[in-house]
Every structure is written in C-alpha cells, then in structure tokens.
Amino acid sequence: MSRSTVNRSILAVAGLLLLGGGLLVLAGSFDLYRRLHLGIPSWLPLGSPHEPLVSTASRTRWDDRGWWWPVVIAVLSLAVAAALWWLAAQLRRSGPGTVTLPTPPGAGPVLRLRGRALEDAIETETIALPEVTRIRVRLLGNRRRLLLRAAVRMQSSGTPADLLDDFHSGPLTHARTSLSLPELPCELRLQVAGRSSVRTPKPPRVL
Amino acid sequence: MTADQLESPPEDDQIIKGRRLRSPRTFGAVLISTAVLVVAGGLLSDVVAVRTGHRARPWRADLAHQLATRHLDDPWVRLGAGVAVLLGLWCCLLALTPGLRRWLPLSRPGSAIDRAGVAALLAHRAEEYPGVASVKVRVGQGSTKVTLQGTADPAGLERGLRAELARIPLALPNRLDVRARSAGRRQR
C-alpha cells in the first residue's frame, strides 16, 4: 500500500470520527430527535440537551471491571506507538542511498553508485538541453524498482513537447542504459520561467 | 522481471497514467499523527500515574469535571461540536480530492506542467502578435481565459493561441477563451 493511500485513510478516519462526534453532539444539543419525532435508540448517548457530555452512567459503566484499565492503557499505548512510527516514516528520507551498477558475470566486487551521483549525472546532462534553465532530480522508490522525480524549469520560448522528448531520449535513456535497467520510470514536473502575464510598463503620471 | 519484483511495487506514490496527480497528503497525516501522539501520550501518562497510586494531575481532573458538568446546550459545547464538524468535513475533503491543483498532467505518463507555466507560454506567444498591448492569461484545470488589451482581432489571436495550446501535450482537454477589453477602459 502506498504512503499516499495510508495518509488518505488516516485523514478519512479522523475526519469521519470528528464529523460523527460533532454531529451527534449537535443533534442532541438542538434536541433534533424530539423535534423531528425520531425515536432515539436506547444505546445512543447524548439524546437530550440537558444531559452532560459525559454522564455518571457512561463514566462508571466499566470502571469496576478488572479488564477496563488494562485495556485503556493498552489502547493508548498502541495509539502512541502507531503515531510515533508513522511520524518517523514520514520524516525518513525516502529513496535508496545507493544503486547497484551492472558488472560482467563472474566479476568479484559489487559496484555501487551513490544515489546522489546518479541524480547529479542526470541533472548535468539535462541542464545542457536547449531552453532548460533549472533542473532538480530526486531518486525515489526502492533498490529493486527505482523511481525518479525531476523538476525542470524551461524558458517560455521553448516547446514542452520537444523538451519532454529530448529529456526522455537523452538523459533518461542514458541513465537507464548505463544501469542496464529494462525501464526507469520518471515523474517530470515542468515549470516555465518568465512572467505569467505580459504588461507594458505604466506610463509616468503627469501632474 | 522476477516474481519478487512483481510483489514489491515502489513504496512511494506511483506514476499515474494520464490522470491528475495525487498529493501524498503528508502534511495532514503528520498533523493528525502529532495530535494523536499528544492526546494519547498525555492521557496514557496520567492514567498510568493514577493506577500506580499518584494523584491525577490538575488538567485531567479539571477536564473530567468540565465534561461531567457542562450540558449539551452549553454554548461552548455547541461551538466545539461545530468546529469538530467543520474540521471533519475538511479532513474528508482532503482525503477524497486529488490535490496538486497547480499541476496539469501531460500526455506522457507521470509528467505534468505548471498551470502558471502554460500561462507563461501562451503570454509569450500572444506578445509576439501584432496589435497586442497587454494580455492576461489565467489557466484553470479545464479552461483558459485570456483577456486582451489592444487593437488585435480576438478571433485571430484565439486561433493562434489555440494552436499554441495544442502544441502543449496536455492529457486532459482545456478550453480556450479570448476576450477583448477595450483600450479606453481601465483594467481591474
């Protein structure tokens, strides 16, 4: 499961909990059940505006059971551990540190290339392409399946289609063949330098 | 490709073909994780303290007292519930929408172009057109609005800019609309 899916699930669960809790309190607060003549199911808390948020009954329902406090402590510990683990996963630098270079069969040492060096090689070749003013390449994915993300800025006199073709047939293909990979997926984000609107300078105001 | 490779797709967000980019929503998830960490950590430390024979700290005693005495028609309770509903709606919206509205997908899988970049390309082209004094380009997700100031013929400019837009290999259709603003009227 990708990181995006997990993050979106976390957002959805948190959102639904907040939404459900808020709506439950609001419905009880404005006495909607009585006004709309809805029968309240007996298990539903917060039914009337004169109830406290946490009634004595719901506070002491399981208080005297032996399992209640161990379960509370276990659930809270799990929540803390999961939150810590997920935060650490977000802050970790993604992408492999090194890439294994192809060696002839039977050769002794394993050659590894630093990921930063691969990024650098692609950047150096891309900046030499016509109309490119800035490039930043990042290596993502894992060691078995690499993924590149390139942020390219070009001049507004250039043609995006040509630049895409040049990038894919030039730097990207060279990187792919030197690593002897069948494919090297790349996400390319293209920006265009220059003014977003053309304006003539304002004439000086004559008083 | 070995079976091992097939089983392990890249962990990071994968390349999406011909559709809008999807944001990984890292920031929202980090915020929620931090909130869970703070709330659950605080409660846990206090519950453990109480179980091991210490007194509950003042904040928890106060919170329990407030929760037990404030009734549902209390204005603060209503305000809190309203804020919770709005936050919940916003979180659901963030979870469902793709995000990254700044980027328009290109026809080559995984690549995208900045909306402001498309505007710059169109403005660059329009600038070369005779009789164009100034031009304002606004590029949206599905349509582009060009406001022209000058003596140029809007229909002619529209044809030229349509051709320029067609040269950008966008994955999704984008309508182009050129409007002329008369030179005498001041631009907003």
Side-chain angles (χ1 to χ4, degrees):
Chain A
M1 200 154 49
S2 78
R3 182 180 291 186
S4 168
T5 318
V6 179
N7 280 351
R8 281 165 184 275
S9 311
I10 290 175
L11 275 169
V13 169
L16 286 177
L17 284 178
L18 280 170
L19 192 64
L23 285 179
L24 196 66
V25 170
L26 280 183
S29 171
F30 291 101
D31 213 3
L32 283 188
Y33 305 111
R34 202 174 48 80
R35 283 190 204 177
L36 302 177
H37 306 292
L38 296 172
I40 318 169
S42 56
W43 49 265
L44 197 70
L46 309 170
S48 105
H50 307 296
E51 269 182 52
L53 266 176
V54 180
S55 63
T56 317
S58 55
R59 186 158 51 86
T60 53
R61 185 171 299 158
W62 294 305
D63 215 8
D64 51 349
R65 312 281 170 91
W67 50 263
W68 171 240
W69 288 109
V71 165
V72 167
I73 290 174
V75 168
L76 285 176
S77 314
L78 268 181
V80 168
L84 270 179
W85 175 75
W86 190 245
L87 275 176
Q90 303 290 322
L91 298 177
R92 196 187 55 210
R93 187 194 178 277
S94 52
T98 58
V99 183
T100 313
L101 285 177
T103 41
V110 179
L111 285 178
R112 289 195 196 287
L113 178 71
R114 283 185 64 85
R116 185 72 201 111
L118 177 66
E119 294 170 0
D120 222 40
I122 300 175
E123 284 174 3
T124 312
E125 207 179 331
T126 310
I127 199 76
L129 292 177
E131 313 285 357
V132 174
T133 60
R134 211 189 63 186
I135 168 86
R136 176 80 183 97
V137 177
R138 276 176 61 211
L139 182 62
L140 303 170
N142 57 38
R143 202 171 281 177
R144 287 209 195 86
R145 225 176 126 180
L146 303 174
L147 173 67
L148 291 167
R149 181 173 294 162
V152 186
R153 189 187 285 264
M154 61 176 260
Q155 281 165 4
S156 56
S157 51
T159 318
D162 294 350
L163 179 63
L164 279 183
D165 288 344
D166 288 350
F167 178 75
H168 278 265
S169 62
L172 201 61
T173 306
H174 295 160
R176 189 176 60 75
T177 47
S178 16
L179 296 172
S180 74
L181 290 171
E183 56 169 357
L184 182 56
C186 180
E187 283 183 6
L188 187 116
R189 306 253 171 110
L190 187 62
Q191 285 180 290
V192 183
R195 301 148 296 176
S196 56
S197 63
V198 181
R199 287 207 187 96
T200 47
K202 254 186 179 170
R205 221 165 171 179
V206 182
L207 291 173
Chain B
M1 202 187 252
T2 63
D4 198 4
Q5 276 173 317
L6 280 172
E7 277 165 18
S8 60
E11 269 195 31
D12 246 278
D13 29 342
Q14 292 168 12
I15 288 180
I16 292 142
K17 292 175 178 63
R19 281 196 301 138
R20 281 187 54 183
L21 303 181
R22 281 175 82 81
S23 156
R25 296 286 187 219
T26 310
F27 186 70
V30 163
L31 265 189
I32 288 176
S33 302
T34 314
V36 166
L37 186 65
V38 168
V39 170
L43 277 179
L44 181 66
S45 74
D46 212 55
V47 164
V48 169
V50 168
R51 287 291 100 189
T52 52
H54 300 84
R55 286 182 62 84
R57 260 162 274 175
W59 64 262
R60 190 165 147 231
D62 191 42
L63 182 70
H65 176 71
Q66 294 286 343
L67 286 179
T69 51
R70 287 211 186 260
H71 286 208
L72 286 188
D73 49 3
D74 188 283
W76 284 106
V77 172
R78 284 184 180 165
L79 186 71
V83 169
V85 167
L86 290 181
L87 268 180
L89 277 178
W90 191 45
C91 283
C92 290
L93 201 74
L94 281 182
L96 294 177
T97 53
L100 294 179
R101 288 186 297 165
R102 192 185 146 189
W103 301 97
L104 296 177
L106 291 168
S107 57
R108 198 182 271 268
S111 44
I113 189 167
D114 198 16
R115 284 198 321 206
V118 175
L121 287 170
L122 292 181
H124 187 267
R125 173 73 182 228
E127 193 187 12
E128 293 167 347
Y129 215 76
V132 173
S134 92
V135 63
K136 200 169 144 195
V137 185
R138 279 169 56 203
V139 179
Q141 282 290 339
S143 68
T144 298
K145 287 190 178 70
V146 179
T147 314
L148 155 79
Q149 207 164 34
T151 53
D153 169 34
L157 185 66
E158 189 165 313
R159 271 196 301 279
L161 291 184
R162 280 234 171 91
E164 177 69 16
L165 194 61
R167 284 169 66 206
I168 305 172
L170 293 176
L172 301 170
N174 200 303
R175 273 184 302 113
L176 183 89
D177 190 20
V178 176
R179 280 183 208 160
R181 187 175 284 273
S182 63
R185 267 167 62 194
R186 184 176 291 177
Q187 211 167 351
R188 257 193 308 137

